[in-house]
Amino acid sequence: MTQTSQWPVPKDSIRYVVPEPIIRLLASHPLTRDLYPLAFGHYRRATGHHMHREHHHDNLLIYCTEGKAFLNVLGEPYTVEAGDLLLLPAGANHRYTADPDNPWTIHWVHYTGPLAEDFRNYMGFDGPTRIRHLGRQPRLLVDFNGLLSVRQTGFRARGLIHAANRLRQLLAAVPINADETGHERQAELDTIHNYMREHLDERISLEELADLAGLSPAHFATRYREQTGTSPIQHFLHLKVERACQLLDTTSSSFADISRRLGYDDAYYFSRLFKKVMGQSPRDYRHTARH
Protein backbone atom coordinates (compact mmCIF):
# COMPACT_ATOMS: atom_id res chain seq x y z
CA MET A 1 0.00 0.00 0.00
CA THR A 2 1.25 3.51 -0.80
CA GLN A 3 2.67 5.48 2.10
CA THR A 4 1.22 9.00 2.14
CA SER A 5 2.32 11.54 4.70
CA GLN A 6 0.55 11.69 8.05
CA TRP A 7 0.14 15.44 7.77
CA PRO A 8 -3.31 16.36 9.19
CA VAL A 9 -5.29 17.58 6.21
CA PRO A 10 -7.19 20.86 6.81
CA LYS A 11 -10.54 21.65 5.19
CA ASP A 12 -9.04 23.48 2.23
CA SER A 13 -6.78 20.54 1.26
CA ILE A 14 -7.51 17.09 -0.18
CA ARG A 15 -6.03 13.62 0.25
CA TYR A 16 -7.62 10.81 -1.80
CA VAL A 17 -6.36 7.26 -1.27
CA VAL A 18 -7.49 4.55 -3.69
CA PRO A 19 -8.86 1.50 -1.79
CA GLU A 20 -6.83 -1.72 -2.00
CA PRO A 21 -9.60 -3.68 -3.84
CA ILE A 22 -9.75 -0.95 -6.50
CA ILE A 23 -5.95 -0.93 -6.80
CA ARG A 24 -6.06 -4.65 -7.51
CA LEU A 25 -8.69 -4.03 -10.17
CA LEU A 26 -6.63 -1.24 -11.78
CA ALA A 27 -3.54 -3.48 -11.73
CA SER A 28 -5.34 -6.14 -13.77
CA HIS A 29 -7.74 -4.15 -15.97
CA PRO A 30 -6.56 -3.91 -19.61
CA LEU A 31 -7.25 -0.15 -19.72
CA THR A 32 -5.25 0.67 -16.60
CA ARG A 33 -2.78 -2.09 -15.72
CA ASP A 34 0.17 -0.32 -17.38
CA LEU A 35 -0.18 2.85 -15.28
CA TYR A 36 -2.55 3.73 -12.44
CA PRO A 37 -2.82 6.06 -9.43
CA LEU A 38 -2.59 4.96 -5.81
CA ALA A 39 -3.32 8.27 -4.10
CA PHE A 40 -3.50 11.93 -5.06
CA GLY A 41 -4.34 15.28 -3.57
CA HIS A 42 -3.86 18.99 -3.14
CA TYR A 43 -2.24 20.53 -0.04
CA ARG A 44 -2.67 24.28 0.36
CA ARG A 45 -0.04 26.18 2.38
CA ALA A 46 0.99 22.92 4.01
CA THR A 47 2.42 24.18 7.31
CA GLY A 48 4.25 21.39 9.11
CA HIS A 49 4.13 19.05 6.14
CA HIS A 50 7.02 16.58 6.23
CA MET A 51 7.79 13.02 5.19
CA HIS A 52 10.67 10.53 5.39
CA ARG A 53 10.54 7.34 3.29
CA GLU A 54 13.40 4.86 3.54
CA HIS A 55 11.64 2.37 1.30
CA HIS A 56 9.67 4.01 -1.51
CA HIS A 57 7.74 1.47 -3.56
CA ASP A 58 5.77 3.73 -5.93
CA ASN A 59 6.37 6.95 -7.86
CA LEU A 60 5.43 10.38 -6.49
CA LEU A 61 4.95 13.40 -8.73
CA ILE A 62 4.63 16.77 -6.95
CA TYR A 63 3.88 20.15 -8.54
CA CYS A 64 4.63 23.11 -6.27
CA THR A 65 2.59 26.24 -7.06
CA GLU A 66 3.45 28.39 -4.02
CA GLY A 67 5.96 28.55 -1.22
CA LYS A 68 9.01 26.40 -0.65
CA ALA A 69 10.16 23.05 0.74
CA PHE A 70 13.46 21.37 1.50
CA LEU A 71 14.16 18.00 -0.08
CA ASN A 72 16.80 15.32 0.25
CA VAL A 73 16.94 12.41 -2.24
CA LEU A 74 19.56 9.68 -1.86
CA GLY A 75 21.63 12.04 0.27
CA GLU A 76 21.46 14.99 -2.17
CA PRO A 77 19.82 18.23 -0.90
CA TYR A 78 17.44 20.30 -3.03
CA THR A 79 15.15 23.28 -2.57
CA VAL A 80 11.70 23.08 -4.17
CA GLU A 81 9.98 26.35 -5.06
CA ALA A 82 6.90 27.59 -6.89
CA GLY A 83 6.80 26.34 -10.47
CA ASP A 84 8.87 23.22 -9.76
CA LEU A 85 7.74 19.75 -10.81
CA LEU A 86 9.37 17.05 -8.70
CA LEU A 87 9.50 13.30 -9.33
CA LEU A 88 10.47 10.87 -6.57
CA PRO A 89 10.83 7.51 -8.35
CA ALA A 90 10.29 4.11 -6.82
CA GLY A 91 13.31 2.96 -4.82
CA ALA A 92 14.68 6.44 -4.06
CA ASN A 93 14.73 7.04 -0.30
CA HIS A 94 13.92 10.64 0.47
CA ARG A 95 12.62 13.18 2.94
CA TYR A 96 11.03 16.59 2.53
CA THR A 97 9.89 19.36 4.83
CA ALA A 98 7.80 22.43 4.04
CA ASP A 99 9.54 25.74 4.75
CA PRO A 100 8.15 26.83 8.13
CA ASP A 101 8.06 30.48 7.07
CA ASN A 102 6.76 29.94 3.54
CA PRO A 103 5.20 26.44 3.29
CA TRP A 104 4.59 24.99 -0.11
CA THR A 105 1.26 24.49 -1.87
CA ILE A 106 1.29 21.30 -3.95
CA HIS A 107 -0.67 19.00 -6.20
CA TRP A 108 0.60 15.43 -5.99
CA VAL A 109 -0.03 11.90 -7.18
CA HIS A 110 1.40 8.50 -6.17
CA TYR A 111 1.30 6.03 -9.07
CA THR A 112 2.75 2.78 -10.33
CA GLY A 113 2.64 0.36 -13.27
CA PRO A 114 4.98 -1.08 -15.93
CA LEU A 115 4.97 2.20 -17.90
CA ALA A 116 6.10 4.32 -14.95
CA GLU A 117 9.79 4.09 -15.89
CA ASP A 118 9.08 4.94 -19.54
CA PHE A 119 7.07 7.98 -18.50
CA ARG A 120 9.84 9.01 -16.12
CA ASN A 121 12.27 9.23 -19.04
CA TYR A 122 9.68 10.77 -21.35
CA MET A 123 9.00 13.55 -18.83
CA GLY A 124 12.70 14.43 -18.72
CA PHE A 125 13.53 12.94 -15.31
CA ASP A 126 16.20 10.63 -16.67
CA GLY A 127 19.51 10.26 -14.88
CA PRO A 128 20.05 12.54 -11.87
CA THR A 129 17.27 15.00 -12.73
CA ARG A 130 14.83 15.30 -9.82
CA ILE A 131 13.22 18.68 -10.46
CA ARG A 132 12.04 20.46 -13.60
CA HIS A 133 11.17 24.13 -13.35
CA LEU A 134 8.02 24.60 -15.41
CA GLY A 135 6.76 27.85 -13.93
CA ARG A 136 3.03 28.44 -13.71
CA GLN A 137 1.29 25.99 -16.03
CA PRO A 138 -2.53 26.25 -16.01
CA ARG A 139 -2.83 23.17 -18.23
CA LEU A 140 -0.88 21.08 -15.71
CA LEU A 141 -3.21 22.25 -12.94
CA VAL A 142 -6.20 21.26 -15.06
CA ASP A 143 -4.72 17.76 -15.42
CA PHE A 144 -4.07 17.42 -11.69
CA ASN A 145 -7.57 18.66 -10.90
CA GLY A 146 -8.89 16.12 -13.40
CA LEU A 147 -7.71 13.39 -11.05
CA LEU A 148 -9.60 15.01 -8.19
CA SER A 149 -12.84 15.00 -10.19
CA VAL A 150 -13.27 11.34 -9.14
CA ARG A 151 -14.00 12.43 -5.57
CA GLN A 152 -17.48 11.85 -4.15
CA THR A 153 -18.22 9.02 -6.59
CA GLY A 154 -18.12 6.37 -3.88
CA PHE A 155 -14.91 4.71 -5.18
CA ARG A 156 -16.70 3.58 -8.34
CA ALA A 157 -14.43 1.50 -10.52
CA ARG A 158 -15.41 3.36 -13.68
CA GLY A 159 -14.49 6.68 -12.11
CA LEU A 160 -11.06 5.42 -11.13
CA ILE A 161 -10.48 3.83 -14.53
CA HIS A 162 -11.15 7.31 -15.91
CA ALA A 163 -8.74 8.81 -13.35
CA ALA A 164 -6.04 6.34 -14.39
CA ASN A 165 -6.30 7.53 -17.96
CA ARG A 166 -6.31 11.16 -16.81
CA LEU A 167 -3.01 10.32 -15.09
CA ARG A 168 -1.58 9.08 -18.39
CA GLN A 169 -2.70 12.34 -20.01
CA LEU A 170 -1.07 14.36 -17.22
CA LEU A 171 2.30 12.61 -17.58
CA ALA A 172 2.25 12.72 -21.37
CA ALA A 173 1.67 16.50 -21.31
CA VAL A 174 4.71 17.31 -19.15
CA PRO A 175 7.16 17.67 -22.09
CA ILE A 176 4.65 19.93 -23.86
CA ASN A 177 4.41 22.12 -20.77
CA ALA A 178 8.20 22.11 -20.48
CA ASP A 179 8.51 23.36 -24.07
CA GLU A 180 6.53 26.44 -23.07
CA THR A 181 8.59 27.42 -20.02
CA GLY A 182 11.21 29.72 -21.55
CA HIS A 183 9.35 32.80 -22.75
CA GLU A 184 12.38 34.19 -24.58
CA ARG A 185 13.08 30.92 -26.36
CA GLN A 186 9.38 30.41 -27.07
CA ALA A 187 9.26 33.86 -28.68
CA GLU A 188 12.27 32.88 -30.78
CA LEU A 189 10.53 29.66 -31.85
CA ASP A 190 7.37 31.58 -32.71
CA THR A 191 9.43 33.90 -34.93
CA ILE A 192 11.07 30.94 -36.69
CA HIS A 193 7.78 29.09 -37.19
CA ASN A 194 5.96 32.20 -38.45
CA TYR A 195 8.78 32.72 -40.94
CA MET A 196 8.44 29.11 -42.10
CA ARG A 197 4.67 29.44 -42.57
CA GLU A 198 5.09 32.69 -44.51
CA HIS A 199 7.62 31.08 -46.87
CA LEU A 200 6.00 27.74 -47.64
CA ASP A 201 6.24 28.59 -51.33
CA GLU A 202 10.04 28.79 -51.11
CA ARG A 203 13.02 26.60 -50.29
CA ILE A 204 14.71 28.06 -47.21
CA SER A 205 18.05 27.01 -45.78
CA LEU A 206 19.32 26.29 -42.31
CA GLU A 207 21.56 29.34 -42.65
CA GLU A 208 18.54 31.63 -43.21
CA LEU A 209 16.79 30.31 -40.11
CA ALA A 210 19.97 30.56 -38.04
CA ASP A 211 20.36 34.20 -39.10
CA LEU A 212 16.87 34.93 -37.76
CA ALA A 213 17.94 33.53 -34.38
CA GLY A 214 21.31 35.29 -34.48
CA LEU A 215 23.17 31.99 -34.10
CA SER A 216 25.58 29.89 -36.12
CA PRO A 217 23.83 27.15 -38.11
CA ALA A 218 25.31 24.39 -35.94
CA HIS A 219 24.35 26.10 -32.65
CA PHE A 220 20.88 26.93 -33.94
CA ALA A 221 20.23 23.37 -35.16
CA THR A 222 21.33 21.90 -31.81
CA ARG A 223 19.20 24.31 -29.77
CA TYR A 224 16.18 23.83 -32.02
CA ARG A 225 16.38 20.05 -31.68
CA GLU A 226 16.68 20.36 -27.88
CA GLN A 227 13.49 22.44 -27.80
CA THR A 228 11.39 20.55 -30.32
CA GLY A 229 12.86 17.07 -30.73
CA THR A 230 13.33 17.50 -34.48
CA SER A 231 15.49 19.47 -36.91
CA PRO A 232 14.33 22.85 -38.28
CA ILE A 233 14.46 21.70 -41.90
CA GLN A 234 12.47 18.55 -41.03
CA HIS A 235 9.82 20.70 -39.36
CA PHE A 236 9.68 22.97 -42.42
CA LEU A 237 9.20 19.93 -44.65
CA HIS A 238 6.37 18.70 -42.42
CA LEU A 239 4.67 22.09 -42.71
CA LYS A 240 4.91 21.80 -46.49
CA VAL A 241 3.45 18.29 -46.45
CA GLU A 242 0.62 19.44 -44.17
CA ARG A 243 -0.14 22.21 -46.65
CA ALA A 244 0.02 19.73 -49.55
CA CYS A 245 -2.51 17.51 -47.76
CA GLN A 246 -4.84 20.47 -47.32
CA LEU A 247 -4.60 21.34 -51.03
CA LEU A 248 -5.16 17.72 -52.05
CA ASP A 249 -8.25 17.65 -49.84
CA THR A 250 -9.75 20.99 -50.84
CA THR A 251 -8.74 21.59 -54.48
CA SER A 252 -8.61 19.71 -57.75
CA SER A 253 -5.08 20.97 -58.49
CA SER A 254 -2.64 18.42 -59.81
CA PHE A 255 0.18 17.39 -57.53
CA ALA A 256 2.61 18.97 -59.97
CA ASP A 257 0.84 22.34 -59.47
CA ILE A 258 0.79 21.84 -55.71
CA SER A 259 4.50 21.02 -55.74
CA ARG A 260 5.28 24.24 -57.61
CA ARG A 261 3.17 26.24 -55.14
CA LEU A 262 5.30 24.79 -52.37
CA GLY A 263 8.64 25.57 -54.01
CA TYR A 264 9.33 22.24 -55.75
CA ASP A 265 9.70 22.26 -59.52
CA ASP A 266 10.41 18.53 -59.41
CA ALA A 267 7.04 17.00 -58.45
CA TYR A 268 8.53 13.51 -58.41
CA TYR A 269 11.07 14.55 -55.78
CA PHE A 270 8.42 16.19 -53.59
CA SER A 271 6.19 13.15 -54.06
CA ARG A 272 8.92 10.98 -52.54
CA LEU A 273 9.25 13.37 -49.60
CA PHE A 274 5.47 13.37 -49.20
CA LYS A 275 5.34 9.56 -49.12
CA LYS A 276 8.18 9.41 -46.60
CA VAL A 277 6.24 11.67 -44.22
CA MET A 278 2.69 10.38 -44.82
CA GLY A 279 3.38 6.73 -45.57
CA GLN A 280 1.45 6.90 -48.85
CA SER A 281 1.77 8.63 -52.20
CA PRO A 282 -0.09 11.90 -52.93
CA ARG A 283 -2.32 10.00 -55.36
CA ASP A 284 -3.22 7.39 -52.75
CA TYR A 285 -3.78 10.12 -50.16
CA ARG A 286 -6.21 11.95 -52.42
CA HIS A 287 -8.18 8.81 -53.24
CA THR A 288 -8.34 7.41 -49.72
CA ALA A 289 -11.87 7.71 -48.34
CA ARG A 290 -11.96 9.85 -45.18
CA HIS A 291 -15.09 10.79 -43.34
Side-chain angles (χ1 to χ4, degrees):
M1 185 172 181
T2 191
Q3 185 183 6
T4 61
S5 73
Q6 298 306 304
W7 182 66
V9 181
K11 290 182 179 179
D12 62 354
S13 296
I14 301 165
R15 179 189 293 140
Y16 186 98
V17 178
V18 181
E20 279 293 324
I22 301 296
I23 290 175
R24 289 195 293 271
L25 182 149
L26 297 177
S28 61
H29 196 285
L31 297 181
T32 58
R33 62 193 175 201
D34 290 331
L35 189 81
Y36 51 94
L38 304 171
F40 40 88
H42 175 212
Y43 294 164
R44 190 182 303 277
R45 306 296 291 176
T47 303
H49 182 221
H50 63 91
M51 189 66 192
H52 183 194
R53 297 182 181 91
E54 282 291 341
H55 306 288
H56 190 215
H57 301 297
D58 56 51
N59 302 272
L60 173 57
L61 188 70
I62 299 175
Y63 182 43
C64 176
T65 57
E66 293 181 89
K68 183 188 297 185
F70 305 106
L71 168 72
N72 188 291
V73 184
L74 299 174
E76 291 290 327
Y78 303 87
T79 299
V80 183
E81 299 182 289
D84 286 346
L85 185 70
L86 158 69
L87 178 63
L88 298 171
N93 68 71
H94 59 264
R95 62 180 182 270
Y96 48 79
T97 304
D99 185 327
D101 299 318
N102 187 20
W104 63 358
T105 292
I106 57 173
H107 282 77
W108 55 271
V109 56
H110 288 266
Y111 63 92
T112 191
L115 284 180
E117 182 69 17
D118 293 311
F119 270 108
R120 173 188 174 186
N121 295 327
Y122 182 74
M123 290 188 288
F125 291 104
D126 50 332
T129 303
R130 308 291 181 197
I131 298 171
R132 300 202 63 181
H133 184 74
L134 302 187
R136 180 167 177 79
Q137 294 290 343
R139 178 165 48 192
L140 188 55
L141 288 175
V142 168
D143 287 339
F144 269 107
N145 286 323
L147 295 176
L148 293 171
S149 66
V150 75
R151 293 168 59 232
Q152 299 178 343
T153 61
F155 298 123
R156 292 183 63 209
R158 288 183 178 179
L160 281 155
I161 289 171
H162 178 67
N165 283 281
R166 291 295 295 262
L167 170 64
R168 186 185 293 247
Q169 174 181 312
L170 187 163
L171 303 186
V174 167
I176 299 172
N177 290 312
D179 287 344
E180 297 172 354
T181 56
H183 296 299
E184 185 175 327
R185 286 199 175 186
Q186 186 60 42
E188 177 186 290
L189 273 181
D190 289 343
T191 298
I192 297 297
H193 291 161
N194 287 337
Y195 183 85
M196 289 180 179
R197 285 188 286 268
E198 291 167 2
H199 293 81
L200 285 178
D201 58 343
E202 302 175 22
R203 304 281 290 276
I204 59 178
S205 67
L206 178 63
E207 288 73 18
E208 288 177 72
L209 298 175
D211 283 343
L212 282 177
L215 300 170
S216 70
H219 187 188
F220 169 71
T222 298
R223 191 156 93 171
Y224 187 94
R225 183 176 287 278
E226 288 174 351
Q227 289 180 267
T228 66
T230 189
S231 74
I233 296 304
Q234 186 75 1
H235 182 71
F236 186 50
L237 171 61
H238 285 191
L239 289 176
K240 284 179 177 283
V241 171
E242 283 181 358
R243 179 61 176 155
C245 289
Q246 180 186 12
L247 293 172
L248 287 168
D249 284 336
T250 60
T251 74
S252 58
S253 300
S254 69
F255 191 72
D257 288 339
I258 291 171
S259 298
R260 282 190 290 272
R261 289 176 63 173
L262 293 172
Y264 292 94
D265 291 329
D266 185 345
Y268 177 70
Y269 174 70
F270 186 47
S271 177
R272 284 189 294 150
L273 295 178
F274 183 101
K275 185 174 183 179
K276 187 174 181 180
V277 173
M278 295 300 297
Q280 59 184 162
S281 69
R283 177 184 176 84
D284 290 341
Y285 176 87
R286 173 169 265 171
H287 292 94
T288 297
R290 283 179 294 276
H291 302 283

